Amino acid sequence: METQILSRSRGWLDLAKKYIKDGEVVAFHTETVYGLGANAFSDDAVLKIFELKGRPQDNPLIVHVHKDYDISLLIDSEPFYAAALRKAFLPGPLTMVYPSTGRVSKYVSCGLDTLAIRMPSSPTAQEFLKAVDLPIAAPSANLSKHVSPVTARHVYEDFNGKIPLILDGGACRGGIESTVLDCTGEIPQILREGLVTREMIASVAGDCGIYHAKQGEKPKSPGMAYKHYSPRCKTAFFRENQTEEAVALYHEAETAGEKPCFLCERDVCALLPNFRTLDLGGSGEEMARKLYALLRKGEKTATLLIGIEPREKGGVMAGVLNRMHRAFGVEHGPEES
Ligand code: AMP
Ligand code: MG
């Protein structure tokens, strides 16, 4: 199969619509990362996503809808705070988890009794979703365990010849996946941190928890239990106060014939002028936007990628740190136990 990458042009949405109606899988730009979408009502189309990605069948998918979609077609009711959060943050990088009503393919929720719904703000995503006027089940458009894609080229690298179409909306401005929020309880609870932060949610809902899976319990968001986002090269990771150890490893690796490279925040890059570095930037938003592109660049240009943890921790950095820890395979915190 030939994989076409199309930017906004005459007929591009007609083509996307045709593929979706035929049960095919189409990749599309969103403001977070690129998605790999299929008709959420079709068992066969949804199963194709799992097959293409090599995704485990217990890791559920998020259903994407356009901004005028009537979500009462998918859910029966929502708590008061959820309506307020939708008003405040949608369309945008916030996924809301509701009790499932069983109206989309059962393969979307993978045996959970909940359904995750998201309304992306990217104009490309909105136009695509509006054109098909169907809920679109979509995970990130990367092979399972690989780094999430933030350009059409990244999607192409993982799925060339396997999907018919990529809707190119340019580089993703958000850069990390949406915040996943459990809206089934009395107060909202974050299942996955992202660009809509705990503070932002609490300012609208009055309160916001962060979910910690207990040992032996079935996780509420199975995807969070997997190692993720891994660059395809050797990696090492150091905390912010371990720069000396990181430099020692760099020298050692170089002596052993490796091509090491640091991935770190801008201020730390500035302290390492004679080393290969990938600059994550300064603010949390900038680091979120650059992280996946730099992980993909790192795996192509280095044989050993040495991550150094940024010093800032709050707000958007919670999501960035979560993704960095997963990429480098280090412990992140209680919610992953
Ligand atoms: P991705 O596949 O990268 O788009 O990530 C989707 C994330 O949303 C994964 O971590 C899933 O486990 C999570 N998710 C999808 N549906 C649900 C749901 N119904 N309840 C909780 N988490 C969900
Ligand atoms: Mg993913």
Side-chain angles (χ1 to χ4, degrees), residues 65-71 73 91 119 126 130 133:
V65 296
H66 63 75
K67 66 180 169 36
D68 302 319
Y69 193 84
D70 177 5
I71 63 161
L73 295 172
M119 191 185 282
Q126 278 293 327
K130 188 89 189 174
D133 200 22

Side-chain angles (χ1 to χ4, degrees), residues 55 59-62 97 112 114 116 139-140 191-192 220-223:
R55 183 177 177 101
N59 189 5
L61 308 179
I62 295 169
V97 173
L112 296 181
T114 53
S140 51
L191 303 178
R192 176 175 74 182
K220 274 195 187 178
S221 192

Side-chain angles (χ1 to χ4, degrees), residues 53 55 139-140 142 148 177 192 228-229:
K53 275 188 69 113
R55 183 177 177 101
S140 51
N142 51 284
S148 299
E177 298 83 352
R192 176 175 74 182
H228 248 72
Y229 322 118

